[in-house]
Amino acid sequence: MAKSKNTNKSKSSSQAQSFPPGRIKIAESLKSLLEEKEFGAITTAEIAKVAGVSEALIYKYFKDKRALLYQVLKEYLDQYRMQFELDIKGIKGALNKLRKLVWTHIYVYANNRVLAKLIFLEVRSFPDYYQSETYQWVKKEYSKRLLDIIDEGIRNGEIRDDISPKFIRQVILGGIEHVCLREVIFDQEIFPDELSENLCRLIFEGIERKTAGS
Amino acid sequence: MAKSKNTNKSKSSSQAQSFPPGRIKIAESLKSLLEEKEFGAITTAEIAKVAGVSEALIYKYFKDKRALLYQVLKEYLDQYRMQFELDIKGIKGALNKLRKLVWTHIYVYANNRVLAKLIFLEVRSFPDYYQSETYQWVKKEYSKRLLDIIDEGIRNGEIRDDISPKFIRQVILGGIEHVCLREVIFDQEIFPDELSENLCRLIFEGIERKTAGS
Amino acid sequence: MAKSKNTNKSKSSSQAQSFPPGRIKIAESLKSLLEEKEFGAITTAEIAKVAGVSEALIYKYFKDKRALLYQVLKEYLDQYRMQFELDIKGIKGALNKLRKLVWTHIYVYANNRVLAKLIFLEVRSFPDYYQSETYQWVKKEYSKRLLDIIDEGIRNGEIRDDISPKFIRQVILGGIEHVCLREVIFDQEIFPDELSENLCRLIFEGIERKTAGS
Amino acid sequence: MAKSKNTNKSKSSSQAQSFPPGRIKIAESLKSLLEEKEFGAITTAEIAKVAGVSEALIYKYFKDKRALLYQVLKEYLDQYRMQFELDIKGIKGALNKLRKLVWTHIYVYANNRVLAKLIFLEVRSFPDYYQSETYQWVKKEYSKRLLDIIDEGIRNGEIRDDISPKFIRQVILGGIEHVCLREVIFDQEIFPDELSENLCRLIFEGIERKTAGS
DNA sequence: CATGAATGAGCATTCATTCAT
DNA sequence: TATGAATGAATGCTCATTCAT
């Protein structure tokens, strides 16, 4: 059950194919090594060997080992950002959008264990991450999108207006983290359908506007 | 509030006073270093320095750095094993015993962060741990005791008999882990009273035998 | 007061405008970097970056990093060679010419710290420098000119004829080096007027021909 | 003439033979390498190889490469400190003591080129040297001794009392540096007798008290 | 019971240099 | 004329571990 095969098979993944092959090979190498062990246990020698390049090349493309990690994180996030943008297209209703978003979020964790672990464990220990452009940009993009949908829900009466939208967002993100953390850390399978269903039921019960008639 | 001061003040802790002073000092040294940083970041030089002994002595008493960690883990577990044995003395009723056990388990995690982190994070990366006597022995002792109580509950009608006792045990242990993991990882405070109360309410509702009259 | 601004503003300096722009940019880049740090601390990456060219181009024009240094040295020396040729034009008397030469020599050190340091410190550690054309050619040009003037002085009775002209030259060059070395090494200001005045007074007293009547 | 063989043949040099052989070999190794090249050009690998030990051992005994350099410097200074203490014993008259001190100082530079270069060139680039105990201690020991003698000279009328003793000390130390710097840098021979004679004549003429009768 | 001395293997990182295009 | 891509060989430094005493 555990140790599910992940998704970075996408050699030709998200970045606009403009990078030199060496750089791509290095990033892919780290991605594949992250499947097996944590970042701290991976050496530059290993990265270079798996990538089939010299260690020196790593430092041509990345300031240091950590900058490489951030790049990998960024690539993963980029890849899913597009997915997120497409995902809520055509969905009517704020709650439905939220439901879809929650499902996708959990689905991403379910299918990309490396990304999940990176976000849950690795990145928190590096205080400089929070200054990195990757973080800033995710924060802006994803967090804002979430807030917009909540606002929309409040405006059109789907969501109660007596709770701060930011607090609602906090609860949603905390909830997602909560239902996935255990599984991510212990390499157990995540079932997006079930988890998102339960989570949404719980949260929506709290945030939905109770109209007089219903 | 988080980052609570821990409990390994017990210099003269559990082991039957039989160990030579050097060995004890080394184990205590690692314990105190584990309060500050994770095992991987602790060097043998540090351990020796804090213990006030030579590095070589570590290898007289322990096969390697990891064997020392297992010893420390064992000492902690020993220490709490006694506590567990005393704890349910005089308690009537399987559910009450379980309640006490859950509370104590969570309480241990709340008060010995080092042990909690060891169990949750450190030890899982060492596959050989599961072969170690420490693990085998804890598994037998603690797990068995739990099962005994569940069996007792089934026998005396407190607990429904249509669920496998082992499954019930699994749910209890998983539940405890579940409600503590997040806090342990992110160094947030754990409130044993609240957590065990909620957890027990949830679980007992499911496992309690619903007698006609009640 | 020390750390005087230097003179390699002469972008279009001595070389007969024949070099391709890339080559010129590389040499100028090294010159400007030498103002800030010593040769050993300058990397080819830096040189290329400041020059605005690729690292590879350096190796198109120069055998290696050191050959580039020799080229820079040569350019500086070229630049001052012209100055030396013009300088003694129109001056009457060997001693006056020598005085002018000494002043100019010191003046060059005072105003081009990079050149001074190159000559005093950098170049001596590279034994192959003494085989380089740059060295051979300077030796011939400048040293010979000096000797010619001394000879002229002896011939026309200004300078005593009982000391070998080469020894006199040696004393003059040694003296110049002597009065500048300390300042160059410790980055202290050099005062050409004062230093050359004192040096000439000292040396000329020794080499001047004492005629009966004077 | 240049490149005179130096004096660190003293394998069993100054330190109280209490150091382990590895540490001694490392220090001696650096000393011998400093005869050939400057500190910056010496690698830890070389030091270890010449010493016949592993690179790791260097870091057992010294914080880093620079700390090793300071240790070497300290050993040299220690060695000569004893010499200085004995040297002025039994000499009458402050000027005679100063003369002896100047001679010995120059003699040390003449016979230990490595030490001389260390002091003149290497150590100035490391700002942290001036915080090192080695520096503080030399400053105190040697500088103070010099000042004491000058004071003594002023008290007994040998030295004029209208110039600050510290200024006199400054002139003496600057003078010694002045007459040795060139030779040290260019690896030319130093003649202590001649240099100290000339230097003392020059300085003493200025600082000696001109009594009415003389 | 304890240690002083020593190290092999590895670490992230740097840099001058090469070569196909 | 110019460069993008790549690297071999170091560099200073760390650490768990061994062994004679």
Side-chain angles (χ1 to χ4, degrees), chain A residues 18 22 32 54 58 61 63-64 80 85 96 103 117 144 156 158 162 197-198:
Chain A
S18 48
S32 102
S54 67
I58 297 173
Y61 294 123
K63 199 182 120 282
D64 54 20
Y80 290 114
E85 273 167 24
N96 281 335
W103 184 89
K117 278 190 180 159
K144 188 158 177 312
N156 69 20
E158 279 184 283
D162 59 342
E197 174 59 25
N198 287 337

Side-chain angles (χ1 to χ4, degrees), chain A residues 124 177-178 182 185-186, chain B residues 124 177-178 182 185-186:
Chain A
R124 312 209 189 218
E177 194 179 272
H178 193 81
R182 210 181 120 79
I185 286 174
F186 297 155
Chain B
R124 313 218 182 215
E177 200 176 85
H178 193 82
R182 228 183 113 81
I185 286 176
F186 299 150

